[in-house]
Amino acid sequence: MSSQVWKYPVITLNSNSFIPLIGLGTYKIKGRDLIQRCLQVALVSGYRSFDTASVYKNESDIGEAMNELLPELGLQRKDVFITSKLGPANQGKDKCRKACLESIQRLQCDYLDLYLIHWPGTQGKKPEEPVNKELRLQSWQDMIQLHKEGKVKAIGVSNFLQHHIDDIISETNFVPAVLQIEHHPHLVQDNLISYCRQKGIHFQAYSSLGTSVVENKLLSDETVEDIAKIHSKTTAQILLKWAVQQNIGVIPKSTNPEHIRENMDIFDFSLSQQEIDILNKLDKQIHYCWNPKLVS
């Protein structure tokens, strides 16, 4: 697979596969017609990376939509990058393997480009229970085997902290290709980013635009708004550019066709280092989503 099939910037993973820096997130996007409309706009706008998960309950709709849209647009399966994730209820030996193969089946494809452990804990277990460590290790071992078989081109983790990653590396000597975790100017993950770069792990941010609540404190941050005015861009575009310009992946989610297009339209300007530093100083260590620090 050559990165030349993608118009926009890509990163080479430690698995020697390529991942686009920008993908379309699909969390909370459900329903066959809505999925079809969102993917159609995204593909036409240049998106080639699509992020889902078993717990999103939309894999089947995404698979059906892709099967229709790709040939209509002159594209093939190899032209897109599909990520899915292991649900917390399916942690553990053999359960992980079964869940991954079921995701592949629902997505109607022969392989996944990236498969992530969605959460370091296990559904039904208390965060502090030591069994969480054993179960995620078993899942990781299943995923290594799936990778060797070619069922997944790259494997990684989501919502893991450094000690969670260190545990699986020390036991298997297999380094994740990707860490996907919450990251934005109100929650700057400098230590994790530095750690990932030392290990050769691609750092991918979710919730780059904050949350979808009515009062979004990130999108309405006055400092972000001021920088947006300087560049004649939206606050969302500034937040995405802040990450992408630092080679941090993003997977913004939207069902609004205009926003889907706008979120990809961030390659005709650059932020100054001073502007990046100003945005970094907005850090409040606020989690708008989940905080995995209590998971043992």
Side-chain angles (χ1 to χ4, degrees), residues 29-280:
I29 303 180
K30 292 183 181 180
R32 180 69 174 82
D33 291 343
L34 181 58
I35 288 285
Q36 179 94 5
R37 290 196 298 271
C38 291
L39 294 191
Q40 198 272 344
V41 172
L43 285 164
V44 170
S45 302
Y47 288 79
R48 293 297 180 265
S49 178
F50 300 88
D51 181 273
T52 184
S54 62
V55 298
Y56 297 173
K57 305 296 184 186
N58 60 13
E59 290 173 316
S60 294
D61 288 335
I62 290 173
E64 289 183 20
M66 283 289 185
N67 276 347
E68 289 185 20
L69 292 169
L70 293 181
E72 286 179 7
L73 298 172
L75 297 169
Q76 301 176 48
R77 167 66 182 90
K78 65 183 181 64
D79 298 328
V80 293
F81 189 103
I82 298 177
T83 300
S84 193
K85 310 181 195 75
L86 174 73
N90 296 312
Q91 291 271 32
K93 180 175 173 57
D94 296 331
K95 291 180 69 175
C96 170
R97 179 182 180 84
K98 181 174 182 288
C100 179
L101 295 176
E102 288 174 348
S103 284
I104 291 172
Q105 184 177 36
R106 285 191 293 267
L107 286 160
Q108 299 183 31
C109 53
D110 297 325
Y111 66 92
L112 292 174
D113 295 281
L114 177 64
Y115 195 58
L116 307 175
I117 299 178
H118 207 157
W119 182 253
T122 300
Q123 186 173 313
K125 306 296 181 185
K126 294 180 180 179
E128 67 273 13
E129 287 189 49
V131 71
N132 286 305
K133 178 178 178 180
E134 178 58 32
L135 288 171
R136 65 175 174 263
L137 173 60
Q138 291 176 13
S139 296
W140 189 241
Q141 290 167 331
D142 270 9
M143 288 166 63
I144 292 171
Q145 183 59 37
L146 287 160
H147 174 67
K148 289 178 179 177
E149 295 172 10
K151 293 295 185 183
V152 288
K153 303 297 184 184
I155 56 176
V157 295
S158 179
N159 295 300
F160 275 43
L161 301 180
Q162 180 175 334
H163 71 278
H164 298 136
I165 300 173
D166 281 338
D167 286 344
I168 61 173
I169 294 176
S170 65
E171 292 289 341
T172 65
N173 201 33
F174 199 103
V175 180
V178 174
L179 167 64
Q180 185 186 108
I181 198 165
E182 183 179 358
H183 172 72
H184 44 70
H186 287 175
L187 179 64
V188 180
Q189 303 266 23
D190 276 340
N191 291 336
L192 262 180
I193 291 169
S194 176
Y195 168 79
C196 285
R197 288 179 174 160
Q198 290 171 10
K199 294 288 187 181
I201 301 169
H202 174 51
F203 188 96
Q204 186 181 61
Y206 72 69
S207 294
S208 300
L209 308 180
T211 60
S212 56
V213 296
V214 175
E215 185 185 359
N216 186 312
K217 295 182 180 180
L218 191 55
L219 286 175
S220 61
D221 190 295
E222 289 185 3
T223 300
V224 182
E225 290 179 337
D226 289 343
I227 294 175
K229 289 174 185 176
I230 292 171
H231 292 278
S232 299
K233 291 290 184 179
T234 67
T235 51
Q237 288 170 319
I238 296 301
L239 292 168
L240 294 172
K241 186 67 175 185
W242 170 79
V244 168
Q245 194 167 315
Q246 299 177 79
N247 281 335
I248 292 169
V250 292
I251 45 170
K253 181 211 78 174
S254 181
T255 57
N256 182 312
E258 183 179 357
H259 292 167
I260 291 172
R261 288 188 283 265
E262 285 178 348
N263 289 344
M264 182 59 86
D265 185 24
I266 61 170
F267 297 104
D268 59 350
F269 77 104
S270 295
L271 298 174
S272 68
Q273 186 57 52
Q274 182 181 16
E275 287 170 330
I276 290 175
D277 291 341
I278 288 170
L279 291 170
N280 287 340

Side-chain angles (χ1 to χ4, degrees), residues 273-290:
Q273 186 57 52
Q274 182 181 16
E275 287 170 330
I276 290 175
D277 291 341
I278 288 170
L279 291 170
N280 287 340
K281 290 177 182 176
L282 297 177
D283 184 27
K284 303 173 183 178
Q285 288 299 295
I286 292 176
H287 288 262
Y288 292 126
C289 295
W290 303 275

